[in-house]
Amino acid sequence: MTNTAPNDGLALFGSFTSSSSYKPMLYLTLARVPFSFRTVNLKYGAQKEPDYLAVNRYGKVPALRHRGLTIVQSNVILDYLGRTTGHFAGKTEQDQWTAREWLDWEADNITNVAKVRHYSRFRTVDPAVMDYFRPLAEAAIGFVDAALDGREWLVGDGPTIADIGCVGRMVFMAEGGLEIGRWPNVEAWSRRLAAMPGYALPYDLIPKKDREIVPD
């Protein structure tokens, strides 16, 4: 891992196991934007090493470097990319604000899906902890499912950072024992996203080593 990046190029720091890393990486591949990927090995604590803390003082992934700026927090990165590249930001001013509202809501709610997945796969916790977080995760998925009733996308008539931000965590729901078939609107929405050029599942998309990525 290195904390340097070309001044004008996009460099994304992340980990292949991280749903937070998947969100901006999915954005970049769907938007067909070339970028450099810099892997941060969470298993070995690379996120807490001094050179990475110089990039992201919170010691978490992801982080983005672009044109001399450093942007952290996955949903802030999505907002930045939407504004900077013009892709998936929302067609109208209202759509743009609504998409950002979804990102704020996602950080408070769909993050519970990530917690259930984390406690199911990476860390053993008291069953009472799962009993607390699983209903919150299910409620969040249910909210998205209801919002998609009669709609193809969360905002407007096309995919936006709202869809990318929400699906970025929800794509891991099966690892937490949350079967997508329980939410038919979410399942259909996921299929629409999967049909977009550049889409790939996290373990197929995120490399385990540093790589220069130039979408076709």
Side-chain angles (χ1 to χ4, degrees):
M1 195 277 296
T2 177
N3 65 354
T4 61
N7 190 51
D8 291 331
L10 281 159
L12 178 67
F13 298 77
S15 168
F16 78 100
T17 62
S18 163
S19 58
S20 294
S21 299
Y22 178 61
K23 291 191 287 182
M25 188 152 190
L26 179 62
Y27 177 101
L28 290 167
T29 56
L30 291 176
R32 322 308 283 167
V33 174
F35 65 101
S36 301
F37 182 77
R38 300 290 179 257
T39 188
V40 181
N41 195 319
L42 303 182
K43 182 178 180 180
Y44 296 106
Q47 73 275 21
K48 301 298 184 182
E49 293 178 356
D51 62 344
Y52 185 68
L53 289 173
V55 177
N56 186 343
R57 61 185 175 274
Y58 303 111
K60 296 183 177 181
V61 291
L64 182 79
R65 282 192 158 177
H66 184 223
R67 296 176 180 169
L69 297 173
T70 300
I71 316 293
V72 301
Q73 307 291 11
S74 60
N75 288 340
V76 178
I77 292 172
L78 288 179
D79 188 9
Y80 173 80
L81 290 172
R83 296 175 191 232
T84 303
T85 73
H87 298 287
F88 308 124
K91 293 182 179 179
T92 68
E93 185 176 10
Q94 181 61 66
D95 286 351
Q96 291 164 14
W97 285 111
T98 303
R100 293 170 196 158
E101 289 172 13
W102 271 104
L103 293 183
D104 188 71
W105 177 86
E106 185 276 333
D108 287 333
N109 293 275
I110 299 181
T111 189
N112 292 301
V113 175
K115 290 182 183 296
V116 170
R117 178 242 183 175
H118 181 79
Y119 296 145
S120 297
R121 181 174 177 191
F122 301 109
R123 179 182 172 192
T124 301
V125 295
D126 188 291
V129 174
M130 290 293 277
D131 289 343
Y132 175 79
F133 283 110
R134 188 174 295 277
L136 295 175
E138 292 174 342
I141 300 169
F143 186 88
V144 175
D145 193 73
L148 288 165
D149 189 28
R151 302 180 56 86
E152 291 192 351
W153 308 104
L154 291 174
V155 179
D157 59 2
T160 67
I161 53 175
D163 302 284
I164 296 169
C166 289
V167 82
R169 294 202 197 282
M170 293 169 67
V171 72
F172 287 103
M173 69 172 69
E175 292 187 8
L178 300 163
E179 296 302 327
I180 195 170
R182 294 172 53 192
W183 297 278
N185 295 326
V186 167
E187 186 174 31
W189 168 70
S190 297
R191 287 198 299 267
R192 284 190 289 275
L193 283 159
M196 295 175 61
Y199 179 91
L201 291 170
Y203 299 128
D204 297 325
L205 183 63
I206 306 177
K208 297 181 181 180
K209 296 182 180 180
D210 293 357
R211 183 181 300 173
E212 305 303 309
I213 299 175
V214 181
D216 296 334

